């Protein structure tokens, strides 16, 4: 199970000591406060925000009050919550990003064909971030939507994206991110994880068997440009009790591979790459 506060902390600490004179600490703090809210913890106190983000309580309070004045947050007098206006920030990305626009109908197509949940994600810092999703049913204990974040090392899409990194960047990731066991099946040894990523690179897809959550299997493929650059990943998730690993490769993987090829062609038309 993915803990809400653990998710929120990933990549939220503002670079207070950034040497760049153009860096706006106040903006970084405000964004870290926004990212502290999750589906599991939609209502937070000032103390909660300060603990999750690492900000002083006074700074957390000022950020929250500013968000309230701008209409992005609300309060019941003790706890704070995000308001619907915050969706405009995410919509700005989705409406201007051809990648999400291109992948959304393809994901719907794959999901309808296999009758399983299908998603697309990109690598953001040390996590995968969902940019498109078609869910046939809820198969995880935590709800996933566009904007959801999950650790890259134990998810099929994350492994596809990590496997595409240059060697130096991958080594930096492995030394920076200590893998934690979500289940007894989670690969946590750095050497074993690197070997698995090499296997993913050789096979061209990743199949993760109950490493993020027991009872959940997932298979993913990379989304490439015409030049071969991996820009995203697409996966299908299914309940382990219903679909075996070999069945995922035979029955689900070909649908993903066809969609990935179609996405490559559409990206060329949209971006000329």
């Amino acid at each position: 199970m993915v803990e809400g506060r653990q998710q929120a902390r990933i990549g939220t600490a503002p670079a207070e000591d950034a040497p760049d004179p153009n860096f706006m600490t106040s903006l970084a703090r405000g964004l870290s406060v926004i990212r502290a809210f999750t589906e599991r913890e939609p209502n937070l106190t000032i103390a909660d925000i300060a603990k999750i983000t690492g900000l002083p309580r006074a700074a957390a309070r000022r950020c929250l009050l500013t968000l309230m004045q701008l209409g992005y947050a609300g309060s019941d007098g003790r706890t704070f919550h995000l308001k619907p206006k915050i969706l405009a920030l995410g919509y700005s990305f989705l409406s201007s990003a051809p990648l999400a626009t291109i992948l959304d109908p393809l994901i719907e197509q794959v999901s309808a064909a296999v009758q399983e949940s299908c998603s697309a994600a990109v690598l953001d810092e040390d996590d995968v971030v969902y940019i498109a999703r078609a869910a046939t049913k809820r198969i995880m204990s935590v709800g996933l939507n566009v904007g959801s974040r999950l650790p890259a090392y134990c998810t099929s899409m994350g492994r596809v994206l990590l496997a595409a990194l240059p060697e130096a960047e991958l080594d930096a990731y492995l030394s920076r991110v200590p893998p934690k066991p979500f289940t007894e099946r989670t690969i946590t040894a750095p050497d074993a994880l690197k070997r698995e990523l090499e296997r993913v690179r050789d096979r061209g897809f990743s199949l993760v068997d109950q490493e993020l959550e027991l009872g959940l299997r997932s298979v993913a493929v990379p989304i490439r440009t015409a030049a071969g650059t991996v820009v995203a990943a697409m996966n299908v998730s299914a309940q382990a009790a219903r679909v075996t690993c070999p069945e995922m490769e035979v029955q689900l993987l070909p649908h993903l591979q066809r969609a990935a090829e179609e996405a490559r062609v559409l990206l060329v038309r949209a971006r000329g790459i």
Side-chain angles (χ1 to χ4, degrees):
M1 182 178 297
V2 180
E3 295 297 334
R5 295 191 184 185
Q6 183 183 41
Q7 271 190 290
R9 285 195 189 93
I10 299 174
T12 60
E16 302 283 352
D17 57 350
D20 187 349
N22 296 313
F23 184 86
M24 292 182 62
T25 298
S26 57
L27 177 58
R29 287 177 167 180
L31 292 173
S32 72
V33 167
I34 291 173
R35 292 177 63 184
F37 294 92
T38 67
E39 181 185 30
R40 291 178 58 83
E41 295 184 284
N43 300 287
L44 298 169
T45 65
I46 292 175
D48 292 332
I49 293 289
K51 182 178 181 180
I52 293 169
T53 62
L55 294 174
R57 288 173 61 111
R61 178 178 178 275
R62 288 196 300 272
C63 288
L64 288 165
L65 293 180
T66 300
L67 290 170
M68 283 184 63
Q69 289 186 37
L70 294 174
Y72 292 114
S75 175
D76 61 7
R78 191 184 77 86
T79 64
F80 293 82
H81 58 271
L82 297 179
K83 297 181 71 174
K85 187 177 180 181
I86 203 76
L87 293 172
L89 301 180
Y91 182 74
S92 296
F93 164 75
L94 292 175
S95 61
S96 63
L99 183 59
T101 304
I102 287 170
L103 295 181
D104 193 60
L106 295 176
I107 281 171
E108 294 283 352
Q109 176 182 311
V110 171
S111 180
V114 301
Q115 290 299 295
E116 300 287 357
S117 297
C118 184
S119 308
V122 295
L123 194 63
D124 181 48
E125 297 174 345
D126 298 332
D127 305 330
V128 290
V129 178
Y130 283 65
I131 61 172
R133 179 164 171 79
T136 57
K137 56 185 77 68
R138 181 158 173 169
I139 59 176
M140 289 185 65
S141 60
V142 61
L144 292 176
N145 300 291
V146 172
S148 293
R149 306 176 72 90
L150 289 176
Y153 64 86
C154 60
T155 56
S156 61
M157 289 192 289
R159 287 186 181 170
V160 163
L161 295 168
L162 289 175
L165 291 177
E167 200 68 23
E169 289 185 31
L170 178 58
D171 288 341
Y173 170 88
L174 293 172
S175 63
R176 181 175 66 248
V177 179
K180 299 177 181 178
F182 283 84
T183 75
E184 64 268 22
R185 293 172 174 263
T186 309
I187 298 175
T188 56
D191 289 344
L193 181 57
K194 188 167 185 179
R195 286 195 299 272
E196 177 60 23
L197 292 175
E198 291 171 352
R199 183 166 178 260
V200 169
R201 189 182 300 120
D202 292 339
R203 300 174 78 192
F205 70 91
S206 172
L207 200 161
V208 172
D209 184 11
Q210 305 179 76
E211 293 189 45
L212 178 66
E213 184 168 305
L214 290 176
L216 177 71
R217 291 186 173 123
S218 177
V219 60
V221 298
I223 303 298
R224 300 178 182 273
T225 65
T229 304
V230 175
V231 292
M234 182 186 298
N235 84 339
V236 169
S237 300
Q239 292 176 340
R242 192 173 63 253
V243 185
T244 66
C245 288
E247 287 173 340
M248 293 195 76
E249 290 191 37
V250 173
Q251 299 174 12
L252 306 182
L253 180 58
H255 290 276
L256 285 172
Q257 292 170 328
R258 285 193 291 271
E261 176 58 22
E262 187 172 349
R264 185 190 66 80
V265 174
L266 292 173
L267 280 170
V268 172
R269 295 174 183 171
R271 296 181 173 185
I273 54 179

